[in-house]
Amino acid sequence: MESEDEFLHTYFSHVSQLCYEKAKELVEKEKEPKGSTTSWSAFLNYLQQLALAEKSYMEIGFLQNKHKSFLRKDNSLKSIYETMKNDLRKLEEQNRQSVAPNNRIQKSSKNIIQYINARINLIDLYDKIYNVGLHKQNRHNEILTQIETVIEKNSEGFTDICLTPAKAVFSLECEILEQLFRALSRLQKLEFSPSLALIHGAHTRLIAWENKIQSREIWKLGIFKNSPSPALFQWFQKLKGAVLSKFSLFFHDILAQQTTPNEIRQLCAKLQQDYYQKIITFQKKYDATYVLLLSDQQTLNSPSPNGIIVSYPPRISTSMDLVLKMIADTYSELSMDKIIYKFLSQEQHTYIIATVESTIYLIILFENKKSEKDAYISNFVVEICQNLRCTKTFACLKNTTK
C-alpha cells in the first residue's frame, strides 16, 4: 500500500472508531508546510471538515439546527455535507485539469463524494423515521422500503480499499435498521421465528459495531472511562430494546411455555419495557375483567383460534365476536387513533378499544361503567399503544438537549 493510501486507510479507521482527535492529528502531520496551497493540502482540509461532520452525525446532529430563513444560512448537518460534496467536486475538476493531476486525489474525492451521498441518504431516512414518531403513524413497510433503497443505491459506492473501515460501519448501520424494521413488519403478521431471527441478527450486528468503536479515544481518558456511547449508537440500542420488548409481549404465551413462571417474570423485568407486568398491574389496580391484545386477522400465525394474541388473566374463554363487531363498526374512528368506549347497559359492561397498529387492537373489559374522563385509563391506553408502535423511540431521534 502506497503512503497516501496507507494514510487514508488509517484516517478512515480512526473516523469509523470515533477517534476524531486522532484523525485530526493524522491530517495535521500529513499537511505540507504552511503557505502551501497544493491540491493535496486542499484535500486534507476537507478531510478535517469530514471528521467534524462525522462526529456531529454520530451525536445525532443531523436533526438539529434547522435554522433556514431568508436572512439566516442553513447550518444543518445535511447542508454541511452538501457543501463539502460540491467543494470536493470542484477540487476533483481542478485536479483533473491541472498540469500534473494527482490520481489519489481524483480517486479519493470520487469515493468520498459517494460516501457523503450515502450519509445524506441516511439523514433523509432518519428524518422520515423521526416524523413517523412525531405523527404517531405506523409505516414500518414504507421505512423498510426506503432502507432497502439506501442499501441498494450505495452497494457499489465508496469501494476503494482506503474507505473499507467506513464502508464496514455504514453497512452495519444499514443492516441493523433493515433487520429491526423487518422484525417490526413480521411482528405485525405475528410471525414468531422470523421475528426472533431478525432481532438476533440486529443484536449480533450491534455487538460487531460496538467492537469497532471500543478503542475510541474518550474511553481511554481515565475519568471518562464510563462515558456513554455516542447518541446514535444509544438510539440503536433503544430501538432494539423496543422491538424486543414488543416481541416479548406478542409471544409471551409461547415464551412462558419454555421456562418457569418465575424465570419468565425475571427475564421480562430486564427488558426495556415489561409490558406484561404493566398490564397485570393495571388489571389488578383497576379490577378490569381482562386486558388483551386482539388480532382481527384470522391467519395461520394467530396464537389462538379466537384471535387473542396475549391476555391477562391468561385464559379467556369469552367469544371475541362481539368485540370484532365493535371494531368493524368503529373502524374509521379507530383508524384515527381514537379510544372507543362502549357501555352495554344490559350487561353493565364497558369495553375500551384502541388501535395498537393495523389489525391489532388493545381491548379492556370492565364489569361496570367507566368514564372517558378517567385519565388513568386513557393514559395507560395511550402509553402502551404508542410504545408498542415504537413511535416514542422514533421521536427521540431528535436530541432536544442540543
Side-chain angles (χ1 to χ4, degrees):
M1 190 182 281
E2 293 181 12
S3 60
E4 287 179 351
D5 289 350
E6 190 175 341
F7 158 75
L8 284 166
H9 188 275
T10 306
Y11 167 84
F12 280 105
S13 294
H14 288 328
V15 170
S16 66
Q17 292 169 354
L18 316 187
C19 298
Y20 304 111
E21 284 303 313
K22 282 187 178 180
K24 184 182 172 184
E25 288 168 12
L26 186 73
V27 173
E28 287 293 342
K29 284 179 186 176
E30 182 69 17
K31 278 188 175 181
E32 286 139 332
K34 288 182 180 180
S36 175
T37 55
T38 64
S39 295
W40 182 247
S41 64
F43 176 73
L44 292 173
N45 287 333
Y46 292 128
L47 289 184
Q48 286 186 316
Q49 291 176 32
L50 181 62
L52 288 172
E54 289 292 287
K55 184 176 184 180
S56 178
Y57 177 90
M58 286 303 296
E59 292 302 332
I60 315 186
F62 44 80
L63 290 181
Q64 318 306 323
N65 304 324
K66 292 190 175 181
H67 304 311
K68 191 175 180 181
S69 67
F70 180 68
L71 296 173
R72 185 180 285 177
K73 185 181 176 183
D74 180 6
N75 67 342
S76 67
L77 184 58
K78 182 179 176 180
S79 175
I80 290 167
Y81 276 123
E82 291 279 9
T83 302
M84 205 183 310
K85 184 174 72 173
N86 293 334
D87 289 344
L88 278 167
R89 278 208 184 104
K90 288 175 188 173
L91 179 66
E92 187 185 9
E93 184 61 30
Q94 288 167 5
N95 181 68
R96 190 186 297 116
Q97 295 174 359
S98 67
V99 179
N102 184 319
N103 290 333
R104 173 37 68 193
I105 289 177
Q106 207 66 29
K107 193 175 180 182
S108 295
S109 294
K110 182 183 176 182
N111 274 263
I112 293 170
I113 287 167
Q114 291 171 349
Y115 177 68
I116 290 172
N117 274 328
R119 274 287 183 248
I120 292 168
N121 291 159
L122 280 175
I123 288 171
D124 289 339
L125 173 63
Y126 287 124
D127 194 43
K128 188 162 194 171
I129 293 171
Y130 167 70
N131 280 298
V132 166
L134 201 62
H135 299 107
K136 302 176 179 61
Q137 299 159 323
N138 180 12
R139 287 151 54 185
H140 301 149
N141 286 333
E142 195 178 313
I143 298 292
L144 182 57
T145 301
Q146 191 167 338
I147 295 166
E148 289 168 347
T149 302
V150 170
I151 292 170
E152 187 180 351
K153 192 185 287 186
N154 297 287
S155 61
E156 303 298 323
F158 52 105
T159 52
D160 189 309
I161 192 169
C162 299
L163 278 82
T164 302
K167 183 78 173 185
V169 171
F170 171 81
S171 297
L172 282 172
E173 187 176 346
C174 289
E175 286 167 14
I176 295 163
L177 281 170
E178 183 188 25
Q179 299 264 306
L180 291 176
F181 275 93
R182 200 175 291 283
L184 286 171
S185 181
R186 296 287 190 159
L187 280 169
Q188 251 183 345
K189 298 170 186 173
L190 304 174
E191 296 178 357
F192 176 81
S193 296
S195 301
L196 181 60
L198 288 160
I199 293 167
H200 179 69
H203 175 69
T204 55
R205 284 164 176 80
L206 269 168
I207 291 172
W209 190 4
E210 188 172 29
N211 288 338
K212 285 182 181 297
I213 62 176
Q214 283 289 341
S215 62
R216 76 180 196 271
E217 58 214 10
I218 197 164
W219 285 6
K220 293 190 174 182
L221 303 173
I223 58 169
F224 298 120
K225 266 183 185 172
N226 297 318
S227 174
S229 303
L232 185 61
F233 187 81
Q234 286 185 56
W235 180 80
F236 269 86
Q237 290 176 314
K238 279 182 189 174
L239 181 58
K240 188 208 80 173
V243 178
L244 182 59
S245 297
K246 182 174 181 173
F247 173 86
S248 75
L249 179 64
F250 278 26
F251 299 109
H252 183 274
D253 293 352
I254 294 173
L255 296 170
Q257 291 167 15
Q258 317 293 319
T259 184
T260 63
N262 189 46
E263 190 174 2
I264 191 71
R265 275 196 300 271
Q266 290 176 357
L267 289 169
C268 288
K270 294 175 184 177
L271 295 169
Q272 191 167 294
Q273 294 278 349
D274 187 352
Y275 291 115
Y276 196 72
Q277 187 56 50
K278 284 179 188 287
I279 286 171
I280 292 172
T281 302
F282 174 87
Q283 186 270 341
K284 288 182 175 177
K285 183 173 181 177
Y286 259 62
D287 197 26
T289 306
Y290 61 68
V291 181
L292 59 84
L293 290 184
L294 177 72
S295 171
D296 68 353
Q297 297 293 305
Q298 293 301 306
T299 67
L300 292 172
N301 300 312
S302 294
S304 68
N306 56 4
I308 296 172
I309 298 168
V310 64
S311 68
Y312 191 83
R315 290 172 184 82
I316 304 294
S317 57
T318 314
S319 168
M320 291 291 111
D321 290 347
L322 177 62
V323 175
L324 289 168
K325 186 178 183 306
M326 289 179 186
I327 290 170
D329 292 344
T330 58
Y331 183 78
S332 58
E333 293 170 272
L334 285 166
S335 62
M336 292 169 65
D337 211 20
K338 289 186 177 178
I339 301 171
I340 304 299
Y341 284 72
K342 285 282 185 182
F343 176 66
L344 305 183
S345 55
Q346 193 172 350
E347 295 91 347
Q348 290 291 299
H349 287 177
T350 302
Y351 288 87
I352 299 170
I353 308 170
T355 303
V356 173
E357 55 192 15
S358 175
T359 77
I360 296 174
Y361 302 89
L362 174 68
I363 316 293
I364 306 172
L365 172 64
F366 290 100
E367 292 183 350
N368 51 30
K369 188 168 186 177
K370 289 294 177 184
S371 169
E372 295 181 28
K373 294 179 180 177
D374 191 320
Y376 187 84
I377 294 174
S378 59
N379 287 343
F380 169 78
V381 172
V382 168
E383 183 182 4
I384 204 162
C385 288
Q386 286 185 5
N387 282 334
L388 283 170
R389 290 178 205 149
C390 300
T391 50
K392 282 189 176 181
T393 307
F394 301 158
C396 79
L397 258 174
K398 188 162 187 177
N399 190 344
T400 53
T401 60
K402 290 193 176 184

